[in-house]
Amino acid sequence: KRSQSQTIAVTPRPYNQKVDPLGRIVANTSNEIDDDCGREEYCEKMVECCVKACGTRDQLMNASFFIVATNVMCRTDKMEFPPLEIGICQYSIASGIKFSYHEFIDAGKVPLGYMHSAKDWAETSHKIPLSDFYPATNNYEKLVEDMKQILEESRFTNQMTGKPTPMLVFCREDAIEQNRGVFQWLQHKYNEINKTSFEWDLEVLDLVLLLYYISKSGGHTISMAAGEDVLSSSAYDYSKNTLCDYHEEIDNRHCAQGLARRLCYMLTDGLCPMFGITPTDKHLPSKRDVIAETYKAQLLEVKPLPAYRYHQNVATDDSQWDPNQVEKEIDEEGAAGGARPKTGIGRGRAHAFKP
């Protein structure tokens, strides 16, 4: 059984520090110890711990795991990742995708010296405008509070100590650094606004490791190499009812929500046959549109939120906003081949249009 009443303070730490499974720093008493292996060992033990904490086979099938994907402006030399989009899916073997969270993020100005690389990356991948994108929000405080509330359920109870693990989110190994950077970027913005020293009690872990330990517990081990193949499949790259509205409209598969959902589909391919589960339209892409109803119904179960899901940008003064002028500008840019998309719900404004 999971506990949400206690927390373990697992603060961000340099990769060259060795830690135990509870996040406590272990002194390096030998020059022969590979510090990087210490970090890898910690992460692997954390994944193994959460799978063992599920208990029985039925409990493992019904346990929730949280899959994250992001899109960013760029990666700076200081290892900063200004985020443009985040998608999180709550997944279980028995139920499939139980909940989807998705937001576009207004990260402000492109860091000095990175405009060229940011534009190039946007053009060749996600195609999210770097500025003046109406569905995006810069209400960083609300973003962090929403994600904190949602990810509380990702904790597992450490069976040795009886204490909960950090919040755990999973992604492919090549995205771990970026996704950690996005959470740290939001943490920094949250602290700037609130004048606090908040730190995420959160770990971003390898989804292939999770697949390995779940399959091992299920009695049919999927090796790490085989797991890489399962979670690198392109079978669902162009599935319907997977992308967010914006990426669906421009027919672009580089969507954070889409990637998070596709990873869940790949987990289904690897795990459902092993556990005797017949996939439903929550496990795999459906011919009918289930994304909107999943989003609206499940979000209220996690935390009641304001009616306007895409809330107003906190830096916007609507008293100076003329909807007719904005729509005229958008039409003019569209006619001229501009990058500003005609999509999204806007920042909670009554005149914002839907696709």
Side-chain angles (χ1 to χ4, degrees):
K1 181 179 179 180
R2 300 180 188 180
S3 169
Q4 298 183 11
S5 60
Q6 298 173 291
T7 60
I8 300 173
V10 180
T11 58
R13 50 190 166 274
Y15 285 2
N16 64 350
Q17 287 183 327
K18 188 174 178 65
V19 294
D20 68 10
L22 291 180
R24 296 172 298 201
I25 298 173
V26 178
N28 186 356
T29 57
S30 170
N31 292 329
E32 297 179 357
I33 294 178
D34 187 337
D35 292 335
D36 290 335
C37 289
R39 174 66 186 175
E40 291 174 4
E41 183 181 2
Y42 162 78
C43 292
E44 183 169 350
K45 286 184 177 180
M46 187 61 70
V47 176
E48 184 180 14
C49 172
C50 83
V51 173
K52 287 183 176 180
C54 294
T56 67
R57 182 184 178 91
D58 285 344
Q59 289 172 327
L60 179 59
M61 289 167 55
N62 287 282
S64 288
F65 301 96
F66 288 76
I67 317 301
V68 65
T70 61
N71 276 313
V72 299
M73 279 184 176
C74 59
R75 166 183 169 173
T76 72
D77 292 339
K78 296 180 179 180
M79 299 304 294
E80 295 174 340
F81 295 85
L84 295 175
E85 183 186 23
I86 187 165
I88 301 173
C89 287
Q90 179 182 3
Y91 176 87
S92 76
I93 302 169
S95 302
I97 298 175
K98 301 168 69 175
F99 168 77
S100 294
Y101 172 84
H102 174 257
E103 284 283 11
F104 287 108
I105 301 171
D106 179 356
K109 294 181 179 180
V110 176
L112 187 64
Y114 292 90
M115 179 60 78
H116 177 75
S117 60
K119 285 184 174 180
D120 184 62
W121 180 243
E123 181 59 31
T124 58
S125 60
H126 54 71
K127 295 189 183 298
I128 300 171
L130 301 178
S131 62
D132 298 326
F133 186 42
Y134 291 112
T137 177
N138 67 2
N139 192 336
Y140 310 125
E141 182 178 13
K142 186 176 187 304
L143 285 168
V144 171
E145 292 295 344
D146 284 353
M147 282 186 268
K148 283 166 58 180
Q149 183 69 24
I150 290 166
L151 294 176
E152 269 300 310
E153 195 174 342
S154 70
R155 299 183 190 274
F156 290 82
T157 300
N158 187 313
Q159 293 185 328
M160 293 183 64
T161 65
K163 297 180 179 180
T165 65
M167 296 181 287
L168 305 179
V169 294
F170 295 88
C171 63
R172 287 195 294 224
E173 184 181 23
D174 59 1
I176 289 177
E177 185 177 56
Q178 173 176 302
N179 292 333
R180 280 181 181 149
V182 166
F183 283 111
Q184 289 170 359
W185 190 95
L186 289 170
Q187 169 188 300
H188 175 70
K189 291 297 183 180
Y190 182 90
N191 286 331
E192 274 189 347
I193 294 167
N194 293 285
K195 310 298 182 186
T196 61
S197 56
F198 161 74
E199 292 180 344
W200 286 104
D201 182 23
L202 179 146
E203 286 289 349
V204 184
L205 301 172
D206 186 356
L207 189 59
V208 174
L209 272 174
L210 180 66
L211 178 59
Y212 168 77
Y213 279 109
I214 290 178
S215 65
K216 184 177 180 180
S217 181
H220 298 83
T221 302
I222 298 175
S223 69
M224 293 292 290
E228 290 281 359
D229 291 340
V230 169
L231 294 173
S232 299
S233 171
S234 60
Y236 301 107
D237 280 3
Y238 299 97
S239 299
K240 292 185 178 296
N241 303 321
T242 299
L243 309 177
C244 70
D245 289 342
Y246 170 67
H247 284 106
E248 185 73 47
E249 182 180 327
I250 65 173
D251 192 23
N252 184 299
R253 68 184 181 86
H254 296 281
C255 168
Q257 174 179 281
L259 176 55
R261 294 182 71 88
R262 291 198 302 273
L263 289 172
C264 293
Y265 302 156
M266 297 173 206
L267 284 177
T268 291
D269 287 343
L271 294 173
C272 281
M274 183 185 307
F275 286 85
I277 299 294
T278 301
T280 67
D281 56 15
K282 298 294 181 67
H283 289 89
L284 295 174
S286 171
K287 294 181 179 179
R288 66 186 184 89
D289 188 358
V290 298
I291 294 178
E293 62 191 58
T294 300
Y295 183 87
K296 292 174 183 176
Q298 296 293 337
L299 186 61
L300 294 177
E301 292 180 12
V302 177
K303 177 185 179 184
L305 294 172
Y308 292 127
R309 192 63 196 94
Y310 288 97
H311 38 77
Q312 179 174 319
N313 185 308
V314 295
T316 300
D317 180 5
D318 272 5
S319 65
Q320 303 298 321
W321 180 69
D322 182 354
N324 295 324
Q325 178 63 25
V326 171
E327 291 177 8
K328 179 181 178 182
E329 290 174 1
I330 293 172
D331 291 338
E332 289 174 353
E333 284 196 22
R340 184 181 295 176
K342 269 197 173 184
T343 187
I345 305 174
R347 295 171 178 164
R349 293 165 171 157
H351 294 84
F353 47 84
K354 299 181 182 179

